[in-house]
Amino acid sequence: MSTPRRDRLYPRPHKTRHAWFLENDEPGTQPRQALIVSWRRHSYQWHARILYCVDVEGEPDPAVIERWVPREALRPVRADPNAAFGLR
């Protein structure tokens, strides 16, 4: 007998931790992939502590940057581990 499909699937995350981060609205600015570590509210405004990578000229590895950014600078990326691993 085979395992029921519901037992083979990973649960979907309840919170989105992946996001696109846009540093500013200047033309040519590219969004960066970011990982949201935590949230805080200050004066009715939400900020996220994020991690993202920046390529450093002359270095083989990127630098990891950690900073607080306003919620408006982020766009969530919905993650589905089942689609990523070919289970759906």
Side-chain angles (χ1 to χ4, degrees):
M1 245 164 109
S2 67
T3 308
R5 181 181 167 108
R6 71 177 178 277
D7 293 338
R8 288 182 281 149
L9 297 178
Y10 298 109
R12 285 190 176 175
H14 295 289
K15 296 180 182 180
T16 299
R17 295 283 184 188
H18 300 94
W20 287 107
F21 164 57
L22 189 58
E23 201 156 356
N24 57 51
D25 291 333
E26 294 178 14
T29 302
Q30 300 239 346
R32 299 181 187 275
Q33 297 178 55
L35 180 67
I36 300 170
V37 178
S38 62
W39 289 95
R40 72 176 175 195
R41 189 176 76 175
H42 179 70
S43 244
Y44 301 104
Q45 294 182 346
W46 285 94
H47 289 78
R49 191 173 97 194
I50 64 169
L51 298 173
Y52 63 96
C53 293
V54 176
D55 291 327
V56 179
E57 193 173 326
E59 294 291 328
D61 296 324
V64 177
I65 308 295
E66 174 190 8
R67 66 186 273 201
W68 288 96
V69 298
R71 177 186 56 83
E72 295 79 21
L74 299 170
R75 297 294 180 269
V77 175
R78 302 284 179 223
D80 183 359
N82 298 298
F85 289 100
L87 299 175
R88 272 193 208 234

